[in-house]
Amino acid sequence: MYMLSATLQGFTLYQLLFYFFFYSFLGWVMETVLVSTREHRFVNRGFLNGPICPIYGVGMCAIIIFLTPFQGRLTDVFLGGMIVASAIEYFTGWLMEKLFHAKWWDYSDKKFNLQGRICLQISIAWGVLSLTIIQIIQPTVAGLVDQIPLKVGAILLYVLLALLLADCVQSVWAALKLSKKLRSLGQIKQDLHALYESSGLYESGEELKRRLENSRISELFAELSGNKEANQTRRNRIEQLRRKYTLHLGKRSFSQRRLLKAFPTMHTPNLGKVLEELRESLKKNHKNK
C-alpha cells in the first residue's frame, strides 16, 4: 500500500494505475471496433493477448498528469495532447522496430507523416481525444476510482499487474520468435539470391533484382528447380533450403498468427513478400487444425 500512495503531480500511483488500465481497455475497444469494421472480421487489436492497449493507457496518463492544470484552456489541452501522445506513439513505434525488426504500423501513405510512425491526421485525433478525456470522461473516471475501497482496489491492482506482466512476457516472447522466423526466411531468400546470381537464368542484374523483390520464395524454388543446367551440388543446396523453408512455414503458432492478425499493416523492410507468405501459411495451418 505504501508504494501505491506515492504521488506524481498530485496523483497517487494508485489512481494512475487505475487510469492506466481503464484507458488501456478503452483504447483496445476503440481500436478493435475500428479495425474489425475495416477488416470485416473480429480482430483482437493490440500487442498483448488481453483486452488492453498499453499505449493508450500510457498516453492518457501522461496527458492527465501534464494537462489537467490547463483543463480550462482548450487550445492548450488540444495542442498538448497532440504533442504528448504523438511523442509516445513515435517512440513506441521506433522501439518496437528496433526490438522486433518490423514496422508494426505505418502511416507512410498519409500526408505529413514522420517516418511512417506518426502523421498529422492521427495527431489531430489524439488532440481531439485529449479534449474529450480531460473535459468529459476523466472527471467521471476519477470519481469512480475514488469510490473503490483502498484495500479492495490495491488487491485488484496487484492482480491486474500480475496478469499484465504475464501477458507482456508471453507477447514479447512471441514477437521475438516471429522476428527470428522472419529473419530466417529472409536469409533463405538471400541464399536463393546467391544461387540465382550463379545460375545464368537472368543476364541483367536489374531484371534479377526485380524478380527477387516481386516473387514469393515458393516461386523462386520452382524456377530454380526447373533449371536443367543445374549440377547435383546446386540441386542439393536448393533442396536443403526448401526443407528449411517448409519447416518454418509448417510450424503452427497461435500467438504469432494473432499478432499478424492484430497488425494487418505490419511489414518488414527488404523482405518483399516473405511476410505475406507467412501470414497465409499461419492462416492455412490454423484452418487445417
Side-chain angles (χ1 to χ4, degrees), residues 15-49:
Q15 292 173 312
L16 291 173
L17 284 173
F18 266 114
Y19 301 160
F20 166 80
F21 282 110
F22 174 78
Y23 289 114
S24 294
F25 173 72
L26 193 65
W28 176 85
V29 171
M30 184 177 68
E31 286 278 344
T32 297
V33 169
L34 289 173
V35 176
S36 296
T37 301
R38 187 177 68 226
E39 297 290 315
H40 305 292
R41 57 188 173 86
F42 175 74
V43 177
N44 178 14
R45 182 68 166 162
F47 181 75
L48 302 179
N49 294 294

Side-chain angles (χ1 to χ4, degrees), residues 12-249:
T12 64
L13 181 59
Y14 174 91
Q15 292 173 312
L16 291 173
L17 284 173
F18 266 114
Y19 301 160
F20 166 80
F21 282 110
F22 174 78
Y23 289 114
S24 294
F25 173 72
L26 193 65
W28 176 85
V29 171
M30 184 177 68
E31 286 278 344
T32 297
V33 169
L34 289 173
V35 176
S36 296
T37 301
R38 187 177 68 226
E39 297 290 315
H40 305 292
R41 57 188 173 86
F42 175 74
V43 177
N44 178 14
R45 182 68 166 162
F47 181 75
L48 302 179
N49 294 294
I52 184 173
C53 284
I55 190 172
Y56 281 89
V58 172
M60 288 303 107
C61 282
I63 286 167
I64 290 167
I65 290 170
F66 293 114
L67 299 183
T68 295
F70 307 100
Q71 58 186 341
R73 294 150 58 178
L74 301 186
T75 301
D76 290 348
V77 173
F78 176 78
L79 293 176
M82 283 182 61
I83 294 170
V84 172
S86 296
I88 292 172
E89 184 175 25
Y90 181 90
F91 174 75
T92 302
W94 172 83
L95 183 62
M96 292 181 73
E97 289 170 30
K98 295 299 180 184
L99 288 175
F100 307 119
H101 308 284
K103 207 172 185 69
W104 292 73
W105 62 84
D106 192 0
Y107 301 131
S108 297
D109 61 331
K110 300 184 183 300
K111 292 182 178 180
F112 309 110
N113 72 84
L114 182 58
Q115 298 175 332
R117 297 180 186 129
I118 57 174
C119 68
L120 181 60
Q121 178 182 333
I122 301 299
S123 294
I124 291 174
W126 278 117
V128 173
L129 185 61
S130 300
L131 276 173
T132 305
I133 296 296
I134 293 294
Q135 301 298 126
I136 301 174
I137 299 177
Q138 177 56 21
T140 301
V141 173
L144 291 174
V145 169
D146 290 341
Q147 291 180 28
I148 301 174
L150 285 177
K151 289 186 178 179
V152 174
I155 293 171
L156 179 58
L157 282 177
Y158 284 131
V159 170
L160 289 173
L161 286 169
L163 291 173
L164 176 62
L165 178 60
D167 199 344
C168 285
V169 170
Q170 195 279 330
S171 298
V172 168
W173 178 252
L176 289 171
K177 295 283 284 186
L178 175 61
S179 176
K180 182 179 178 180
K181 179 178 288 189
L182 287 170
R183 291 199 305 274
S184 184
L185 289 171
Q187 185 58 54
I188 290 174
K189 195 164 187 178
Q190 287 296 317
D191 292 341
L192 290 176
H193 187 171
L195 288 171
Y196 261 99
E197 288 182 332
S198 58
S199 68
L201 290 172
Y202 293 89
E203 295 182 2
S204 167
E206 191 63 33
E207 186 181 7
L208 172 58
K209 181 180 178 181
R210 285 196 301 270
R211 173 60 172 159
L212 292 170
E213 288 178 350
N214 299 321
S215 299
R216 295 167 174 265
I217 294 179
S218 55
E219 295 171 346
L220 300 178
F221 276 125
E223 187 171 41
L224 282 172
S225 299
N227 182 12
K228 296 180 180 180
E229 298 181 5
N231 57 35
Q232 190 59 43
T233 301
R234 182 183 297 275
R235 291 182 183 278
N236 290 341
R237 178 56 176 161
I238 293 171
E239 186 57 33
Q240 181 186 30
L241 290 173
R242 190 201 300 274
R243 285 197 298 269
K244 187 176 180 181
Y245 165 77
T246 303
L247 179 64
H248 278 301
L249 293 192

